[in-house]
Amino acid sequence: MRFRYYRNRLVLIAFLLAMLSEAILIGISYWNTRDVGTEIQSASEQNLSRHVESRIVAKLSEMNSLALQIESSDFTKYARSFLNLRSSEEEATARRELDSRLEQLHLPQGLVDRIYFIGDNLNQKNFGKSFATNRLLPDEHIPWIDEMRSAGLLDSFTRYYSMPTFIPKGMFTDVLKDKKGSIPEDSWQRLNRFFAGVEGHLIINNGVNYLNVLSVIVLDERIFAAELPSSGIWSGYVGVFDQNRQTLWSNLPSEEALAAAAQRIENGSRQWEQQIDGLYQVRTQAVSPYDFHIAFFERERSSTLWGPSFSKIYVGFFLGTLLVCFLISLKFSNLIMYPFRMLARVVWKKENELDLERIPEERFSGTRFSRLSIRSKVLFMLLTSVLIPVLTAVGMHLYLMYNYVFDKAVDLSVDSSNHLVVELRDRMDGYEGLTNRLSTDSRLTNLLSPYTFMENIDDFTVASYPGLGDLSYFVLYDAGGSARYSSAFFNNLTLFKLSSIDPDLLSELQPEQTVWITGLKDVYGHPSLMLIKKLSLPSPSTGKTIEAYLQVVLKEEAFSSVASDRKMSFVMLDGSGDFVYSNASAQGFKEEAFAQWRGDQGKAGSALIEKVEGSNQVIVSRPIGDEGWTAYIFRTIDDMYLMIDDMLHRFILLIVLLILIILAAVWNVSLLLVKPIERLTTAVEKEESMPDAQEDEAPGSRDEIGRLVESFNRMIRQIRRLMEDNVNKQLREKDLVTSKMKAELGMLQQQINPHFLYNTLEAINMRARQYGAAEVGTMVNSLAKIFRFTINKGSEVVPLSDEIEHARNYLTIQELRFQNKFTVLWQLDESAMKEPILKFVLQPIIENALQHGIEELYGGGEIAIRAQMEEGRVVLSVADNGIGMSKEDLAKVRQALSGEVASSEAPPYPPESGSSGRSSGVGLANVYQRLRIYYGERLEFTIDSEEFVGTTVTISIATPAGAEM
């Protein structure tokens, strides 16, 4: 037995089982984590959409508020004061005052590109400022309202007043081109320059007011880019479309892709796939109430948790477990095959040295492992080498799965927290902008004059400032800290005291500087959040600069709308760790935020998982702006725990099924591997029934190898007795054989000379032809040739053509004998005729075909004889359409040819009932043995048969040149 081959087969089977099991495990893992990945991806997309929509709505609302602000007389009086009829000094003073008032608004960069104040006719002065360059626009770039009206463009331009409106390229300039000859040149130039500057931009205008002034805000296109998440949070393309599906802003590199997306939105699509520089998932988000649409272009992402890092770790561990499986299986397979190798060496030694001494059985039964059966050993080896890596991989996967799921949950929470902090900062910027706008309103600042009365100030909060709805109240203090106006309790200003604010903080304030104040109570006695801005205003009476303070107090729910996600809560602390704001009513969130602040020493940026108020929360700390504040964002992941538990239950169930499948596979594989050894053991143990078998010692616990050794020792004892009997018998028969050989020699000497027989047959052939017996002559002639070929004492190898000729002579006799009962088909390759072949090969095979196949037919028999060269081999085949053999008889014939069954049990062709049992004389088995002895491994001998169909015998012999190849 080739024990290394069987050892390698055991290792290969164990390795393949482990690899298949882990491949199934990977598939289970991928399928099992897909739902979690989909949930996280969906939540991430929702957070992104809500964040972008919230920021854009907030900025556009702020621009609407700004548009209302600049409608006040403080800004529009420049364009309605007929400054073209006044002195240049007066106009320059008014221009500087308006420019200074716009500067006091402290508009953030990237929001406003230009602001225009346009008068009714040429008696009025127009004003325009570019915030991108911080320069005033020339007068010749701004037309009057009368010029727009005369050109028929005013109504179109002011149609969508009070709402952000996108002006497409060419909307007005194309009309002006057609009207160039009908409009005065200087007027046409002003109109063309103005409309060329606003086309392709988003604008807000409030129409021509009752004072005949048109104010226009041209928004910076970066307003949308600034509201998108940073590349660290999200990467992709974005397109913003107005109600007419015109592109307001986009960072798409392809105009065709942008146009295709606009068309899909027009058709009502909300989600689709689109090819840009790769395949992108596109989804749209409506921006209410502006009827805008935002299209997010994101690269197609897998919804599973199997990212590159996860896959690398898993592949590495997968290869490691396969290596463990290989080493374990190699170790145990060597232990299993060790007794076989030992027995093979001992038997080989005894066979070559004729050593009939017994094999020491203790060498094969001295360990506990030897007490197990071969099947148990193989089963143990397979289970160990497969289950240990698989179970290790299961444990590793559970560990990685939990870690990666929670890492993804933390990443989602961090992304959401980043969005939330940006919105908090935007909300704070909005309140600062509101404070700046309040500080520029003359109706409020004029109250610092001792001669100013407060008529109509009671409706100040609702007249121009929609953003004041988030304020509790605001108070204007003079330089001495006395309240001059309050939007609450304005008839009892003694309730408001600036002295409650840190004096050092007030003394350090610079003009136009705004600071946030925390830790104080408002006039109602509630903890509040407020802003203080130091004002520096010119005195209406003296012309000198006077100082004042504006206090803006926010409502308790000022930031409540920031976190719309019900899974998120946040707590804001100032630089000293004092409470600022929280949207969570439960006290546990505040306590945890204080604990985190003390642990971090005010350093934001950490993320961890803690249990807060009985719920599992991801806690992320982030700084807010430059004030030193910190936001602690809590995002519950209880739903993630539920998903993981459900995923774990499914995973365990599938793993149990996988292990059962592994056990069943291992059991069946072990049966297949051990079955030949068990058959060998059973065959050897049959000798135990012999009466002369003796037991030297009582049998102990041993496996099949041990029993094989014991049976082998019994056979050795029997062989000794048989050899003794055989020696005596040979001595008795020696004399008889010698005498018999002498007698046979004498008889041979008396036999007729073979040449005399050949010559006699030739004489009979001649006489038969003289008397007209042609058939007799043909038969005698063929028989003579057969006899000459047979008695030829030359080499036992002849050219194939001679062997074919011998077969033809034989068939000639048989055709005359059977009276056309069969026909012969010859298919001979001339290139094969010169090849040497062993004598008497074809004729015995043809004889078997006639006697056991064709003879039982009534007619129509057919024998096909083929001789060809195929790829360096001589191929001979004899096929008949006789009665053939059953599968059982064919199996016995093949076993007889291979020497596995005695010839008495399986003759080359089993005789049919009623037949004479005639044989070929040489026999198919004789032919096969002669060929095998002469050609060895160069021979391929096959026999195929089907009952009532026929039999085919094929001989394939490699030529010396073909064998070398």
Side-chain angles (χ1 to χ4, degrees):
M1 296 177 68
R2 294 172 293 172
F3 301 115
R4 182 174 297 178
Y5 165 76
Y6 288 108
R7 189 274 313 275
N8 294 341
R9 188 167 65 169
L10 283 174
V11 173
L12 178 62
I13 290 174
F15 186 82
L16 291 178
L17 281 174
M19 186 167 63
L20 178 62
S21 302
E22 295 212 28
I24 295 174
L25 176 63
I26 292 175
I28 293 172
S29 303
Y30 183 87
W31 172 77
N32 209 24
T33 56
R34 183 178 54 188
D35 293 340
V36 178
T38 302
E39 176 72 17
I40 292 175
Q41 181 175 331
S42 176
S44 177
E45 292 174 355
Q46 291 176 4
N47 286 336
L48 175 66
S49 301
R50 184 196 59 78
H51 165 73
V52 174
E53 179 189 10
S54 176
R55 292 197 69 192
I56 289 179
V57 169
K59 292 301 181 184
L60 292 179
S61 297
E62 186 176 349
M63 292 301 98
N64 279 333
S65 179
L66 175 63
L68 291 174
Q69 172 78 21
I70 64 175
E71 280 292 293
S72 66
S73 61
D74 292 334
F75 295 92
T76 60
K77 65 181 180 181
Y78 176 86
R80 64 180 174 85
S81 299
F82 300 97
L83 290 175
N84 268 339
L85 302 177
R86 299 186 182 184
S87 65
S88 59
E89 291 81 5
E90 187 176 357
E91 185 274 329
T93 301
R95 180 178 287 263
R96 285 194 299 271
E97 180 182 346
L98 177 56
D99 184 41
S100 175
R101 196 172 290 276
L102 288 173
E103 288 294 328
Q104 290 175 3
L105 292 175
H106 299 286
L107 297 177
Q109 291 184 352
L111 292 182
V112 177
D113 183 52
R114 278 161 287 159
I115 291 181
Y116 295 94
F117 296 99
I118 303 175
D120 187 52
N121 53 60
L122 56 83
N123 294 321
Q124 297 170 331
K125 197 73 173 177
N126 295 328
F127 180 91
K129 180 173 183 178
S130 170
F131 288 85
T133 61
N134 198 29
R135 292 180 180 179
L136 299 181
L137 299 175
D139 291 343
E140 57 269 20
H141 287 187
I142 309 172
W144 284 280
I145 295 174
D146 278 351
E147 291 177 326
M148 294 184 188
R149 187 181 292 114
S150 299
L153 303 178
L154 180 62
D155 291 340
S156 299
F157 185 69
T158 60
R159 179 189 307 173
Y160 301 103
Y161 63 89
S162 298
M163 287 291 291
T165 305
F166 180 74
I167 307 297
K169 290 283 188 180
M171 180 177 180
F172 296 102
T173 53
D174 289 348
V175 176
L176 286 172
K177 287 179 182 179
D178 297 336
K179 296 183 177 183
K180 186 171 184 180
S182 60
I183 300 175
E185 181 63 22
D186 56 344
S187 178
W188 189 91
Q189 290 292 340
R190 283 191 293 269
L191 287 168
N192 189 64
R193 287 169 179 168
F194 171 77
F195 285 114
V198 300
E199 286 179 348
H201 290 81
L202 194 66
I203 70 167
I204 300 177
N205 75 88
N206 289 324
V208 179
N209 63 14
Y210 68 97
L211 298 174
N212 288 331
V213 176
L214 174 62
S215 57
V216 179
I217 300 176
V218 180
L219 302 183
D220 194 315
E221 65 178 9
R222 292 175 296 173
I223 186 174
F224 297 108
E227 308 317 315
L228 295 178
S230 65
S231 59
I233 300 176
W234 179 82
S235 60
Y237 299 123
V238 173
V240 184
F241 305 89
D242 67 0
Q243 62 271 20
N244 298 317
R245 306 304 175 251
Q246 296 289 336
T247 304
L248 303 181
W249 177 86
S250 176
N251 59 355
L252 271 171
S254 170
E255 293 292 337
E256 292 79 5
L258 196 62
Q263 184 61 44
R264 285 182 176 270
I265 295 174
E266 181 69 25
N267 296 335
S269 300
R270 293 293 175 263
Q271 194 165 359
W272 67 88
E273 291 183 350
Q274 188 167 338
Q275 190 75 26
I276 304 175
D277 53 0
L279 187 61
Y280 283 78
Q281 295 286 341
V282 187
R283 53 189 175 83
T284 63
Q285 176 71 33
V287 180
S288 300
Y290 300 104
D291 197 19
F292 292 171
H293 280 84
I294 306 173
F296 298 94
F297 299 78
E298 298 175 296
R299 281 196 179 274
E300 187 173 15
R301 296 180 296 173
S302 172
S303 60
T304 67
L305 303 177
W306 288 61
S309 58
F310 187 93
S311 299
K312 288 179 182 178
I313 294 174
Y314 208 97
V315 168
F317 200 88
F318 175 72
L319 296 177
T321 53
L322 290 182
L323 178 61
V324 171
C325 167
F326 174 77
L327 295 176
I328 293 176
S329 60
L330 184 63
K331 175 67 175 177
F332 280 102
S333 61
N334 281 330
L335 291 176
I336 292 173
M337 301 310 298
Y338 174 76
F340 287 92
R341 292 200 302 272
M342 290 293 296
L343 180 60
R345 291 174 183 173
V346 172
V347 172
W348 179 83
K349 181 178 180 182
K350 289 181 177 295
E351 179 182 1
N352 286 274
E353 297 180 1
L354 296 178
D355 182 9
L356 298 180
E357 295 295 327
R358 64 182 296 275
I359 298 175
E361 299 178 22
E362 58 274 5
R363 296 177 60 182
F364 301 92
S365 58
T367 63
R368 292 184 179 180
F369 197 65
S370 64
R371 298 177 182 272
L372 299 175
S373 65
I374 296 296
R375 181 183 299 176
S376 299
K377 293 176 184 178
V378 172
L379 187 62
F380 177 77
M381 185 274 290
L382 292 176
L383 287 176
T384 304
S385 56
V386 174
L387 285 183
I388 287 179
V390 169
L391 293 178
T392 304
V394 169
M396 181 275 301
H397 171 75
L398 290 176
Y399 172 79
L400 290 180
M401 182 178 66
Y402 268 93
N403 278 276
Y404 272 83
V405 166
F406 284 117
D407 286 346
K408 292 293 184 181
V410 170
D411 291 343
L412 174 61
S413 300
V414 170
D415 289 347
S416 302
S417 301
N418 292 334
H419 297 330
L420 177 64
V421 169
V422 170
E423 292 186 41
L424 287 174
R425 184 65 254 179
D426 282 350
R427 186 60 58 90
M428 294 175 67
D429 290 341
Y431 291 138
E432 291 177 6
L434 179 59
T435 303
N436 291 330
R437 294 199 300 273
L438 281 172
S439 66
T440 61
D441 198 301
S442 61
R443 292 175 297 173
L444 180 64
T445 57
N446 286 343
L447 296 176
L448 295 173
S449 173
Y451 307 106
T452 301
F453 298 98
M454 294 188 296
E455 61 270 10
N456 298 326
I457 198 67
D458 53 338
D459 64 347
F460 180 77
T461 58
V462 295
S464 306
Y465 296 91
L468 292 183
D470 291 335
L471 302 186
S472 178
Y473 59 89
F474 59 91
V475 183
L476 180 65
Y477 298 93
D478 60 18
S482 299
R484 299 302 303 273
Y485 173 77
S486 171
S487 61
F489 303 110
F490 61 87
N491 56 351
N492 190 4
L493 298 179
T494 58
L495 296 175
F496 304 96
K497 300 184 182 299
L498 191 61
S499 59
S500 60
I501 300 174
D502 185 3
D504 294 335
L505 176 63
L506 294 176
S507 63
E508 294 175 359
L509 276 178
Q510 299 298 320
E512 297 300 316
Q513 182 182 359
T514 303
V515 295
W516 288 83
I517 306 296
T518 61
L520 298 181
K521 294 184 178 181
D522 59 14
V523 71
Y524 304 104
H526 302 149
S528 62
L529 185 62
M530 60 186 68
L531 296 94
I532 296 293
K533 180 176 181 179
K534 187 174 182 179
L535 308 180
S536 179
L537 304 170
S539 173
S541 56
T542 64
K544 297 181 179 180
T545 300
I546 60 174
E547 293 183 348
Y549 297 92
L550 178 63
Q551 180 186 29
V552 176
V553 181
L554 303 182
K555 291 182 179 179
E556 292 185 30
E557 64 274 13
F559 293 96
S560 60
S561 62
V562 171
S564 59
D565 190 348
R566 59 182 177 82
K567 298 180 181 180
M568 293 184 65
S569 305
F570 66 91
V571 178
M572 298 168 61
L573 303 180
D574 64 12
S576 301
D578 295 329
F579 175 77
V580 175
Y581 179 81
S582 175
N583 70 337
S585 58
Q587 189 65 26
F589 291 96
K590 298 178 185 178
E591 294 175 354
E592 183 65 29
F594 291 139
Q596 292 295 327
W597 190 90
R598 289 190 294 268
D600 294 340
Q601 294 298 317
K603 296 180 180 179
S606 60
L608 68 159
I609 299 176
E610 294 288 348
K611 206 170 188 66
V612 181
E613 292 290 336
S615 177
N616 296 289
Q617 304 279 343
V618 176
I619 307 173
V620 181
S621 60
R622 288 290 183 268
I624 306 176
D626 301 326
E627 285 76 20
W629 292 8
T630 304
Y632 291 91
I633 299 97
F634 301 81
R635 191 177 192 280
T636 179
I637 55 172
D638 285 341
D639 57 338
M640 199 69 66
Y641 273 95
L642 293 176
M643 291 185 64
I644 290 176
D645 289 341
D646 182 58
M647 182 174 59
L648 179 61
H649 293 154
R650 293 200 311 265
F651 187 76
I652 291 176
L653 176 61
L654 293 173
I655 291 303
V656 170
L657 293 176
L658 176 61
I659 291 175
L660 292 177
I661 293 173
I662 292 174
L663 292 175
V666 167
W667 176 262
N668 285 281
V669 169
S670 66
L671 289 179
L672 292 175
L673 290 175
V674 177
K675 192 173 182 180
I677 301 176
E678 289 181 337
R679 286 203 303 264
L680 174 61
T681 304
T682 302
V684 175
E685 287 180 342
K686 286 182 179 180
E687 298 297 326
E688 293 179 352
S689 60
M690 293 180 63
D692 58 345
Q694 298 178 0
E695 299 291 342
D696 292 342
E697 53 185 79
S701 300
R702 61 192 69 190
D703 60 11
E704 289 85 347
I705 297 299
R707 294 197 297 271
L708 183 61
V709 172
E710 182 183 1
S711 299
F712 181 82
N713 287 332
R714 287 198 299 270
M715 283 196 302
I716 293 298
R717 292 193 294 270
Q718 294 175 21
I719 290 172
R720 286 174 180 170
R721 290 193 293 268
L722 290 174
M723 288 181 64
E724 292 175 358
D725 295 338
N726 190 47
V727 169
N728 295 329
K729 185 178 180 180
Q730 286 181 356
L731 292 175
R732 290 194 301 268
E733 292 179 353
K734 184 175 183 181
D735 294 334
L736 293 176
V737 171
T738 303
S739 301
K740 183 178 178 180
M741 290 178 65
K742 291 180 179 180
E744 289 177 350
L745 180 60
M747 292 177 63
L748 289 173
Q749 291 175 351
Q750 298 298 324
Q751 290 179 353
I752 300 174
N753 190 306
H755 292 285
F756 170 75
L757 290 176
Y758 176 74
N759 293 330
T760 301
L761 289 173
E762 283 293 333
I764 295 173
N765 177 35
M766 296 295 296
R767 185 61 57 87
R769 292 184 181 277
Q770 290 176 0
Y771 287 100
E775 290 184 356
V776 175
T778 300
M779 294 178 66
V780 170
N781 184 46
S782 297
L783 180 60
K785 292 180 179 180
I786 291 174
F787 190 64
R788 171 176 286 183
F789 184 79
T790 303
I791 66 175
N792 189 355
K793 295 183 180 181
S795 173
E796 61 180 350
V797 176
V798 296
L800 179 58
S801 58
D802 291 352
E803 182 69 12
I804 293 294
E805 182 63 24
H806 177 63
R808 286 183 186 275
N809 292 326
Y810 172 75
L811 283 170
T812 297
I813 297 173
Q814 296 299 330
E815 285 175 340
L816 293 174
R817 173 192 169 196
F818 286 101
Q819 294 298 319
N820 299 322
K821 190 176 183 179
F822 68 93
T823 59
V824 181
L825 302 177
W826 295 89
Q827 185 178 354
L828 305 177
D829 187 354
E830 291 298 329
S831 61
M833 292 298 101
K834 297 180 181 181
E835 294 293 330
I837 192 170
L838 196 64
K839 290 173 64 175
F840 305 119
V841 172
L842 282 177
Q843 183 269 330
I845 298 175
I846 296 171
E847 183 178 358
N848 274 308
L850 287 171
Q851 290 187 1
H852 301 290
I854 302 300
E855 189 174 2
E856 301 297 329
L857 299 178
Y858 291 102
E862 184 178 285
I863 298 177
I865 302 173
R866 183 170 65 96
Q868 290 180 324
M869 292 296 297
E870 295 182 0
E871 298 180 355
R873 304 183 71 88
V874 178
V875 180
L876 306 176
S877 68
V878 177
D880 66 71
N881 63 347
I883 62 173
M885 289 182 284
S886 65
K887 293 182 179 179
E888 294 78 7
D889 291 339
L890 178 62
K892 290 180 180 180
V893 169
R894 288 173 174 172
Q895 290 176 350
L897 291 178
S898 62
E900 296 182 6
V901 177
S903 60
S904 61
E905 297 181 8
Y909 276 89
E912 300 293 329
S913 60
S915 68
S916 63
R918 290 173 296 175
S919 176
S920 66
V922 178
L924 189 61
N926 184 290
V927 172
Y928 173 74
Q929 295 299 334
R930 290 174 59 235
L931 288 170
R932 175 60 66 189
I933 292 172
Y934 189 83
Y935 290 106
E937 297 298 326
R938 294 164 53 194
L939 172 70
E940 291 182 4
F941 190 100
T942 60
I943 178 169
D944 298 295
S945 181
E946 185 175 349
E947 197 167 14
F948 304 114
V949 174
T951 303
T952 300
V953 178
T954 304
I955 301 171
S956 176
I957 303 171
T959 63
E964 291 176 0
M965 295 174 60

